[in-house]
Amino acid sequence: MPTLSDFPIGQKWPAQHPDRLQLYSLPTPNGVKVSIMLEETGLPYEAHRVDFATDDQLSPEFLSLNPNNKIPAILDPDGPGGQPLPLFESGAILMYLADKTGRFVPQDAAARWQTLQWVMFQMGGVGPMFGQLGFFHKFAGKDYEDKRPRDRYVNESKRLLGVLDKHLIGRDWVMGDDYTVADIAIFPWIRNLVGFYEARELVGFDAFKQVARVLDAFVARPAVQRGLNIPAAP
């Protein structure tokens, strides 16, 4: 039976607690989705910081776990059948942790698929569109004279916020009364849009009253507050 020591990633980030789930990440929107989920579930885990400043994500050890060189990734020593499970892609990790713990995903089959559709809404829409907006608004793209690319992502981000805002009318959370992986997937990106990307005015965020309401409830959760700072800066 393989153990954590059989995985090359342990050579660069040795496990101090090899019986715990290993998280390789940074506190970015995709990264904190998983650290928040881990904090919410209470699963024992050990966090390792993947430092982009030193190209850790391009190291052979990290690529052995995630060939797509993106964070987050996990290595669970107690995966299905008691076997270690390496896993990347934040949406897949969220669903895995939900199934592993039986928490934050409905047990009813129809509600489960409806929850998953909102996770995919984030993975396929919110994340990519907000990320591109951030590039063109805050980073190198802001210097492009042609503002049409930026405006394309601004308009699509507004559209997505409008979809979510309408859906949240009369609901405490994305799925209604219950807080789920859909909220954990979506709201770190909403927070990043108006915070780190400094795009509140650009997208007219204050007009999306329902999104703002649920964002406030999300960031007020103690597990969210902890997860937003994991892995900690050195």
Side-chain angles (χ1 to χ4, degrees), residues 38-179:
L38 288 166
E39 289 292 324
E40 292 279 15
T41 62
L43 272 175
Y45 72 100
E46 182 176 351
H48 305 277
R49 187 177 180 89
V50 180
D51 192 346
F52 286 4
T54 55
D55 289 336
D56 281 350
Q57 77 278 14
L58 301 177
S59 65
E61 293 86 356
F62 188 78
L63 291 172
S64 72
L65 187 63
N66 183 0
N68 196 34
N69 65 271
K70 303 292 184 182
I71 60 92
I74 65 169
L75 179 53
D76 186 359
D78 184 27
Q83 298 287 319
L85 176 70
L87 201 61
F88 65 90
E89 281 297 333
S90 57
I93 296 171
L94 286 183
M95 294 307 299
Y96 170 71
L97 295 175
D99 285 349
K100 181 181 177 71
T101 61
R103 300 189 65 193
F104 306 115
V105 66
Q107 298 305 303
D108 173 76
R112 175 187 171 85
W113 282 109
Q114 290 171 337
T115 303
L116 183 59
Q117 77 183 349
W118 285 102
V119 175
M120 295 299 103
F121 172 81
Q122 183 276 301
M123 298 293 293
V126 167
M129 295 301 104
F130 288 13
Q132 292 293 341
L133 185 155
F135 171 79
F136 283 102
H137 177 57
K138 182 170 182 175
F139 298 108
K142 71 180 184 299
D143 298 323
Y144 293 6
E145 292 185 12
D146 186 347
K147 298 305 178 187
R148 286 174 296 179
R150 185 205 66 175
D151 292 347
R152 182 261 189 274
Y153 294 114
V154 169
N155 291 334
E156 181 63 5
S157 295
K158 287 181 177 180
R159 189 191 71 80
L160 292 167
L161 287 168
V163 171
L164 184 60
D165 200 67
K166 184 177 180 180
H167 173 75
L168 288 171
I169 294 172
R171 293 180 169 91
D172 290 338
W173 300 101
V174 171
M175 290 302 297
D177 294 338
D178 296 328
Y179 174 78

